[in-house]
Amino acid sequence: MKQTPLIAVATTLALALSLAGPNTALADDHAGFQPDRATTALLVVDPQNDFMSSGGKGWGLVGENVMRLGSNDHIETLIRTAKDGDIPVFVSPHGYFEHDAHWHDRGPVQALMHEAGLLKINGPAEYEGFEGSGADFYAPLKAMILDGDTVITTPHKVYGPDSNDLALQLRKRGIQTVIMGGFVANLCVDSHMRELVEQGFNVVVVKDVVGAPGEDAYDAAILNASMIANAVWDTDQAVAFLD
Amino acid sequence: MKQTPLIAVATTLALALSLAGPNTALADDHAGFQPDRATTALLVVDPQNDFMSSGGKGWGLVGENVMRLGSNDHIETLIRTAKDGDIPVFVSPHGYFEHDAHWHDRGPVQALMHEAGLLKINGPAEYEGFEGSGADFYAPLKAMILDGDTVITTPHKVYGPDSNDLALQLRKRGIQTVIMGGFVANLCVDSHMRELVEQGFNVVVVKDVVGAPGEDAYDAAILNASMIANAVWDTDQAVAFLD
Amino acid sequence: MKQTPLIAVATTLALALSLAGPNTALADDHAGFQPDRATTALLVVDPQNDFMSSGGKGWGLVGENVMRLGSNDHIETLIRTAKDGDIPVFVSPHGYFEHDAHWHDRGPVQALMHEAGLLKINGPAEYEGFEGSGADFYAPLKAMILDGDTVITTPHKVYGPDSNDLALQLRKRGIQTVIMGGFVANLCVDSHMRELVEQGFNVVVVKDVVGAPGEDAYDAAILNASMIANAVWDTDQAVAFLD
Amino acid sequence: MKQTPLIAVATTLALALSLAGPNTALADDHAGFQPDRATTALLVVDPQNDFMSSGGKGWGLVGENVMRLGSNDHIETLIRTAKDGDIPVFVSPHGYFEHDAHWHDRGPVQALMHEAGLLKINGPAEYEGFEGSGADFYAPLKAMILDGDTVITTPHKVYGPDSNDLALQLRKRGIQTVIMGGFVANLCVDSHMRELVEQGFNVVVVKDVVGAPGEDAYDAAILNASMIANAVWDTDQAVAFLD
């Protein structure tokens, strides 16, 4: 081993200190990161009844955290502000078709989701029964999501956008930075954040527009975002930028 | 909204209960998951001096957690056991070349890593100065990693294997299940786990063969693994399987 | 430069000879390739009205070649034989939603397709007007494709399956070899073949179940398949295997 | 089936006419495509001894076509012009390590390449014997490729850049359009073109800086490029742009 450069010591100290404080300190300190408005989009992951509606099959998991954060209202505010400010809005929904029932081994949460019929769509050629189902968009957002301008990607199947057209759609609009939130904080939101970073996009996670299965899972998601995303903002910061 | 099926209620309760207990309960309970030995491999992420050696530029970040878990010894044990048992071993190293210095916006940890020269390689055509550098393999593992049998993927650049040949190499050997650990628990290990799951592989995370930047980051990694991976094991369970 | 090994000379001669003959000679000679029936699937790319129906918006491009080859009948035969033999059938359709109209630069064929409204779907949340449209499945195949067993992937957007869930769906069923055909031979079929090979699958291209925009384009497709695919078969060979 | 719009008929006629003429007519006609110099890069695929040097293990395959086109000189001209004009240069090499010898089923050309030891590297941790080998860069280009500015991606393994870091590297420099050529025209060059298009990049193929295994394979490559790429140029057009 060569000797460790001094800068590395300073660096790891800086990181250790960041982690010792509130866990968003690290990315928050990156005050230097300012997206270019002309190449920035808003992304909402899974804004669907199963996570946002009190009757949703995932509400038991995330509802308490969603209500504490006020995420449903924040998401509506962000989409409206983005549209008013001509910032493109992208939605990456989650959806399972009948033939997805035949998958071999699943991880534990995927298995539970499958058993519960979470986000199930009778498709994929025609969405019979989609209207008002758990996989349908949350009613207060539907008019904005279905306005013909919002880009609705094909449904993702696991947690990330690896198997849908999100990255392609972002690029065909010239997007470089994605401001994002949605459901579930440490699962699909985290996986979308990671995959977008792998694909070379800049990412800002908005910490009070998500929902997590418990506060530990929420803390895990925000800690990871503080290390991986270009910035972690709250709704007020996001509105100030999008406005 | 249609009415929530009873099974969904039961399911969310089951999940909520799992989460309330020790955070590996969820995947641990999936006792049903037993990989097929004939299509299983061991994967070690970033077994390099910068994370495993006390002089490494990342040791200040992960060293305390690594020592508490005994990860360095466990990794050596797992590799040796896999090789003795004819289970293929894959290594996905992390490495930056000179030209990677010109990247535009990075996230905070990527920026710190770059400033510290973490995992820097003078390459990529020939690795001058690689021997004994922070990017070189940890000395006690080198003979096994360089035995000509271990598959050493091309270096990954961000956190996941999205831009290297790991998935291809696993498939060209017919691997379906990956037993994995390495560095850093909530960054590269988590991103490798998520990407492999998106690619249709089964994943088992071994919880005491990782290193994290603090115990909160460790807990975040294991909580996510307990929800996403097919199983979370400790070294003893992994050895029992590989042996 | 080191001296060229003799085997390399022999090899390039063998390859040159293959290329001098009928252009499927190369892959045909790989008589050694025999897929494992238990891990093989049939894939049909774009079996939609715009390519298969005489009123389709792409029929002017591919119709003559389709009729010469008898592809429409062959596709029906292959799907029926696969289903009778319990071989899983996958369909990767092509489809554009309203929001895809806003893409920046397109290549020439993509631009023509967009101007013609080829494969346009009013979606993506509900497919209003899908029934009988150019993007709908070719009528003689619809009952088989919509039987609930066929895996219909989310629509691909460019030429390959890079942005849909085809690879994931194949893997979640344990598929290793894909027997394939469809439309358009040198565009989507070639791109699907290449991407599946990159992803580690074995591929067999069936040379008389495709349609190309002219015989030069057909020859280009088959020449490339003869070099890249594991084998090039005709319908009779495929039926003999699937039966 | 709904009635075919008139525009579709006109479109297919236009395409049919293009195809009837010299096979680059289609993309050439897209005279409207002008890349933005600030976000354009030059990419050379596989500029390695095995394809460019008369002693190379692939020279028997491509040499005749390379000499007819004058590709070796053209590539040198393009790289020099790009560097003089501050256009970033990317190289995506092809390389196989010892452990790649264990792959299961290969396609026919991959099998021949493996048997001939084409592009073999003794690595991957340090490249012993790389200097002057078939996988090394073609001598007249080496100083420019190894100048520390050229981005040399990790080696690709099949035909496309799906398993290396090319797309990531392009994005981390803000590249939107790729002007490209290299080896082999209908294999790696075509696969790189297709994958870059799937990833949302604009692509210009330079038709006299490639090498193909025979003129039929060359024609196949250019026909596909004329349909898929944003433009097909010759070296003079590329130099005029890069200069």
Side-chain angles (χ1 to χ4, degrees), chain D residues 3-176:
Chain D
Q3 202 174 352
T4 310
L6 279 184
I7 186 171
V9 177
T11 296
T12 54
L13 276 175
L15 184 51
L17 284 171
S18 299
L19 292 174
N23 57 24
T24 61
L26 191 57
D28 280 357
D29 282 354
H30 270 255
F33 181 72
Q34 272 300 320
D36 176 356
R37 220 173 170 284
T39 57
T40 296
L42 175 68
L43 167 67
V44 187
V45 178
D46 299 2
Q48 293 162 277
N49 284 324
D50 270 346
F51 295 124
M52 300 185 75
S53 166
S54 61
K57 289 184 281 295
W59 185 255
L61 285 174
V62 301
E64 204 165 328
N65 183 253
V66 167
M67 287 190 296
R68 180 179 75 74
L69 297 168
S71 299
N72 284 5
D73 285 349
H74 291 158
I75 288 176
E76 193 174 343
T77 300
L78 286 188
I79 296 179
R80 193 176 312 282
T81 309
K83 287 189 173 288
D84 287 349
D86 285 326
I87 299 277
V89 178
F90 291 72
V91 168
S92 175
H94 205 135
Y96 296 102
F97 299 123
E98 184 60 34
H99 57 239
D100 296 326
H102 299 274
W103 287 9
H104 297 179
D105 314 291
R106 303 164 187 266
V109 169
Q110 288 279 324
L112 292 176
M113 289 170 69
H114 172 58
E115 284 159 29
L118 206 84
L119 300 161
K120 185 152 185 319
I121 301 170
N122 288 323
E126 302 226 38
Y127 292 0
E128 194 178 310
F130 181 72
E131 178 80 23
S133 72
D136 196 2
F137 300 109
Y138 182 53
L141 308 178
K142 276 188 82 164
M144 292 193 295
I145 291 177
L146 300 177
D147 68 357
D149 270 339
T150 305
V151 176
I152 306 170
T153 69
T154 53
H156 63 268
K157 295 287 171 171
V158 190
Y159 303 108
D162 302 62
S163 295
N164 77 6
D165 59 339
L166 175 60
L168 175 70
Q169 296 287 359
L170 289 167
R171 282 188 198 115
K172 296 309 284 183
R173 303 284 186 110
I175 300 304
Q176 182 58 34

Side-chain angles (χ1 to χ4, degrees), chain C residues 137-208:
Chain C
F137 299 109
Y138 182 54
L141 308 178
K142 275 188 84 163
M144 291 192 296
I145 291 177
L146 300 177
D147 68 356
D149 269 339
T150 305
V151 176
I152 306 170
T153 69
T154 52
H156 63 268
K157 295 286 170 171
V158 191
Y159 303 108
D162 302 63
S163 295
N164 77 5
D165 58 339
L166 175 61
L168 175 69
Q169 295 287 359
L170 289 167
R171 283 187 196 116
K172 296 309 283 184
R173 303 281 186 113
I175 300 302
Q176 182 59 32
T177 298
V178 176
I179 298 176
M180 66 177 287
F183 306 91
V184 175
N186 64 315
L187 298 174
C188 293
V189 174
D190 190 325
S191 285
H192 274 69
M193 170 190 72
R194 287 178 196 252
E195 179 64 12
L196 291 175
V197 167
E198 297 291 335
Q199 299 261 359
F201 293 99
N202 304 323
V203 177
V204 176
V205 173
V206 189
K207 64 187 171 188
D208 51 2

Side-chain angles (χ1 to χ4, degrees), chain C residues 50-74:
Chain C
D50 271 346
F51 295 124
M52 299 185 75
S53 166
S54 61
K57 290 185 280 298
W59 184 255
L61 284 174
V62 302
E64 204 165 330
N65 184 252
V66 167
M67 287 189 295
R68 180 179 74 74
L69 297 169
S71 299
N72 283 5
D73 286 349
H74 292 157

Side-chain angles (χ1 to χ4, degrees), chain A residues 190 194 224, chain B residues 180 184-195 220-221 224-225 228:
Chain A
D190 190 326
R194 288 178 195 252
N224 285 334
Chain B
M180 65 177 288
V184 175
N186 64 316
L187 299 173
C188 293
V189 174
D190 190 326
S191 285
H192 274 69
M193 170 190 71
R194 287 178 195 252
E195 179 64 12
N224 284 334
I228 294 173

Side-chain angles (χ1 to χ4, degrees), chain B residues 25-94:
Chain B
L26 193 56
D28 281 357
D29 281 354
H30 270 255
F33 182 71
Q34 271 300 319
D36 175 356
R37 223 175 168 282
T39 57
T40 296
L42 175 69
L43 166 67
V44 186
V45 178
D46 298 2
Q48 292 161 276
N49 284 324
D50 271 346
F51 295 125
M52 299 186 76
S53 165
S54 60
K57 291 185 279 299
W59 184 254
L61 285 173
V62 302
E64 203 165 330
N65 184 253
V66 167
M67 286 189 296
R68 179 178 76 74
L69 297 169
S71 298
N72 283 6
D73 285 348
H74 291 157
I75 289 176
E76 193 174 344
T77 300
L78 286 188
I79 297 179
R80 193 176 312 281
T81 309
K83 287 190 173 288
D84 287 349
D86 284 327
I87 298 278
V89 178
F90 291 72
V91 168
S92 176
H94 205 136

Side-chain angles (χ1 to χ4, degrees), chain A residues 37 42 73-85 87 179 204 206 208-209 233-243:
Chain A
R37 221 173 168 284
L42 175 68
D73 286 348
H74 291 158
I75 288 176
E76 192 173 344
T77 300
L78 286 188
I79 296 179
R80 193 176 312 282
T81 308
K83 287 190 173 288
D84 287 348
I87 299 278
I179 298 175
V204 177
V206 190
D208 52 0
V209 299
W233 289 352
D234 62 18
T235 297
D236 287 345
Q237 288 172 286
V239 165
F241 176 84
L242 296 169
D243 208 6

Side-chain angles (χ1 to χ4, degrees), chain A residues 156-239:
Chain A
H156 63 267
K157 295 285 171 173
V158 190
Y159 302 108
D162 302 63
S163 295
N164 77 5
D165 59 339
L166 175 61
L168 175 69
Q169 295 287 359
L170 290 167
R171 284 190 196 114
K172 296 309 283 184
R173 304 281 186 112
I175 300 303
Q176 183 58 33
T177 298
V178 176
I179 298 175
M180 66 178 287
F183 306 90
V184 174
N186 63 315
L187 298 174
C188 293
V189 174
D190 190 326
S191 285
H192 274 69
M193 171 190 71
R194 288 178 195 252
E195 179 63 13
L196 291 175
V197 167
E198 297 290 335
Q199 300 262 0
F201 293 98
N202 304 323
V203 177
V204 177
V205 172
V206 190
K207 64 186 171 187
D208 52 0
V209 299
V210 296
E215 293 300 319
D216 283 352
Y218 177 76
D219 289 345
I222 302 305
L223 182 148
N224 285 334
S226 76
M227 293 193 190
I228 294 173
N230 296 76
V232 174
W233 289 352
D234 62 18
T235 297
D236 287 345
Q237 288 172 286
V239 165

